[in-house]
Amino acid sequence: RESSGYNFKEQEQNWMQQLQNQQNSHQISNESEDIFHLVLPNGTSCLYYSHDYSLGRQVLIVRSTLRNYIAVAYAGTDDWTTALSDGDILTTPFGPDFTTNSSDDGETKQNGTNGSGIDPNRSNKDQKIKNLFESVPDDVRVHRGFNNAVFQNDGFSTVLDCIISTRIGGNCSNNSTIAKRDNSNILATDLPSENYQLYTTGHSLGAADSMLLGAALHLAFPIELIQSINFGCPKVGNLEWGSWMNQLQTDRGGTYNQSGRVISGGYEVFRFVNKIDLIPRLPELLFQHAGHTLQMSVGGEIEAYYDHFGNEDLGYAGVPFGWGAAPYALLPLAIASHPCSHYVNYLEYYRPGQNSTVQNDSLYFVREFERVGDNGTGGGVDPP
C-alpha cells in the first residue's frame, strides 16, 4: 500500500461525503474536479469510477505512470444490494450470459435480436467478448451473485474498453474501443509497446469480483501476467473453477525470458486473510478456494500457502489443519476480523519501521511459500 501523505482515518469521512456527492455522475472524467487525487499516490490518476446502484457495484480504475501499472479495484459489501449479491450463492457458468437473448449487460432483448441472443446493433462487440470465454472448461461454475456483479450492465465490457483505451494512449473516454477492433480476439500482442502491468484488487465482495475480473482479463490478454491481490475474499467457484484457476499460474503456464520477465502469460491470485476472518471460509458447500492464501497472523507474520492446499510434490504445505473451522470457536472475533479497516490497520501497524517493536521485514514481506512441515501440518494437500 503506497503512502499518499494523508491520515486515512481523519480524512475518510470527508472523502466519502464528497464521493457520495459525485456518484450520480457515475464516471469521473476531469481529475481536477474529483477527490481521488487526495487519496491516490503521486503519479497515480483516476481513469474511471462507477457506482451501479442496481447491482451495488463500485469499481475504480487507476493508472500509475511512475510504477507502470493499471489497477481495477472493487468495493466490498456496503448496503443491502451488495448483501444480496453476497447471498446469491447459486452457481452459474463463468462469464457473460449470452444464452437467453441477452448481451453482457444482463438485460433481455425484447426486440431486434438476430435469433442468437445477440443484438445486431452491438453484435460485433458482443461476439468478440463471447469468443474470449470459449476456452473456459464447461464444468467451471462460479458464485452467481459475484458473476453478475462483474458482468451485468456492461460491467466487464466497460472495464475492458477502458483498459484497452488506456494502454494505447487513451483515457477511457472512448466506449467503443472493442467494436472498432478488427481482430476476433483482443490480444496483448495487438497493443503498442507501452504495456502496463495489470492488477485487480478488492475487499470482501470486491475481492471476489476482482478474482473474476482478473480471470476474464487473462482471457483477453493471454500472453501477459495478470495479478489479483485481494483481501478477505470468500470462496468464488466450484472445485473445477479452483483447478482451472490454479492451472493458469505462471509456474505452470507461463514462459520467462532470461531476465525473469514473463513472456507468455498467466494469472496469479494472492488472497490476504486477516487472522480468523470468517468470510474467507465461506460459502462452505460446493465452493473451492483458488490461488495462494496469505495468512495474516498475530504478531505481524504473514504466511503464504501455495494454492491454499499446498502441493507435496513441490514440497509446499497447505493451510494448517482446522483452518476452515477455526473461526467458529471464536465467532465474534472472527466477524470482527473482516472489516477492511482491520486489514489496513494490520498492514500499517506491522509495516517495518512504522512500529518500533516490529523490525523483521522477512516476516512481513512474503518471499516464499510455507514448506511441508513448517506449520505443523505434516504435509500439504495436492490441489484438485
Side-chain angles (χ1 to χ4, degrees), residues 27 124-126 128-129 156-187 190-192 221:
Q27 180 171 340
N124 183 40
K125 178 178 179 179
D126 284 349
K128 288 181 178 181
I129 291 178
F156 172 61
S157 63
T158 301
V159 169
L160 186 57
D161 264 346
C162 180
I163 291 174
I164 294 173
S165 172
T166 302
R167 287 159 60 92
I168 60 178
N171 60 2
C172 292
S173 61
N174 184 354
N175 290 326
S176 59
T177 309
I178 298 175
K180 291 183 177 181
R181 298 173 71 81
D182 294 330
N183 297 38
S184 60
N185 276 314
I186 303 158
L187 302 176
D190 263 330
L191 302 171
F221 305 102

Side-chain angles (χ1 to χ4, degrees), residues 268 270 272 292-295 300-306 316 350-352 358-371 374:
E268 293 181 335
F270 300 92
F272 282 84
H292 307 309
T293 297
L294 302 183
Q295 180 64 54
E301 181 175 3
I302 300 179
E303 300 166 331
Y305 296 102
Y306 185 89
Y316 294 128
Y350 288 113
R351 183 171 59 189
V358 181
Q359 300 294 337
N360 192 348
D361 65 355
S362 66
L363 299 180
Y364 182 87
F365 295 105
V366 177
R367 293 184 173 87
E368 59 184 5
F369 293 104
E370 296 295 305
R371 308 294 298 188
D374 286 349

Side-chain angles (χ1 to χ4, degrees), residues 275-289:
K275 307 183 186 75
I276 58 171
D277 183 356
L278 176 64
I279 300 303
R281 279 81 173 179
L282 301 175
E284 291 188 346
L285 299 177
L286 304 178
F287 289 86
Q288 174 84 19
H289 266 312

Side-chain angles (χ1 to χ4, degrees), residues 8 26 78 84 145 149 177-178 189-190 196 220 227 263 273 323 329 335 365 370:
F8 183 84
H26 294 282
D78 64 353
L84 288 177
T177 309
I178 298 175
T189 51
D190 263 330
Y196 290 93
Q227 292 182 313
I263 58 176
V273 178
W323 182 90
I335 296 173
F365 295 105
E370 296 295 305

Side-chain angles (χ1 to χ4, degrees), residues 115-247:
S116 64
I118 304 297
D119 182 352
N121 294 328
R122 52 183 289 168
S123 60
N124 183 40
K125 178 178 179 179
D126 284 349
Q127 189 60 49
K128 288 181 178 181
I129 291 178
K130 183 178 181 181
N131 290 343
L132 296 178
F133 294 85
E134 290 181 347
S135 63
V136 179
D138 292 338
D139 52 0
V140 165
R141 298 185 68 85
V142 297
H143 185 292
R144 187 172 68 181
F146 302 155
N147 194 75
N148 289 345
V150 172
F151 293 103
Q152 280 191 354
N153 297 356
D154 277 335
F156 172 61
S157 63
T158 301
V159 169
L160 186 57
D161 264 346
C162 180
I163 291 174
I164 294 173
S165 172
T166 302
R167 287 159 60 92
I168 60 178
N171 60 2
C172 292
S173 61
N174 184 354
N175 290 326
S176 59
T177 309
I178 298 175
K180 291 183 177 181
R181 298 173 71 81
D182 294 330
N183 297 38
S184 60
N185 276 314
I186 303 158
L187 302 176
T189 51
D190 263 330
L191 302 171
S193 58
E194 188 181 20
N195 271 349
Y196 290 93
Q197 173 70 50
L198 296 179
Y199 295 103
T200 69
T201 190
H203 169 260
S204 191
L205 166 64
D209 293 347
S210 75
M211 276 192 64
L212 293 171
L213 176 71
L217 291 179
H218 169 72
L219 298 176
F221 305 102
I223 69 168
E224 297 194 38
L225 173 63
I226 313 292
Q227 292 182 313
S228 177
I229 304 172
N230 58 64
F231 305 86
C233 185
K235 300 174 186 177
V236 171
N238 63 1
L239 185 146
E240 290 77 15
W241 157 262
S243 179
W244 177 61
M245 287 282 288
N246 290 336
Q247 291 173 15

Side-chain angles (χ1 to χ4, degrees), residues 34-46:
D34 69 55
I35 68 166
F36 293 104
H37 66 283
L38 297 177
V39 297
L40 295 174
N42 292 334
T44 305
S45 59
C46 171

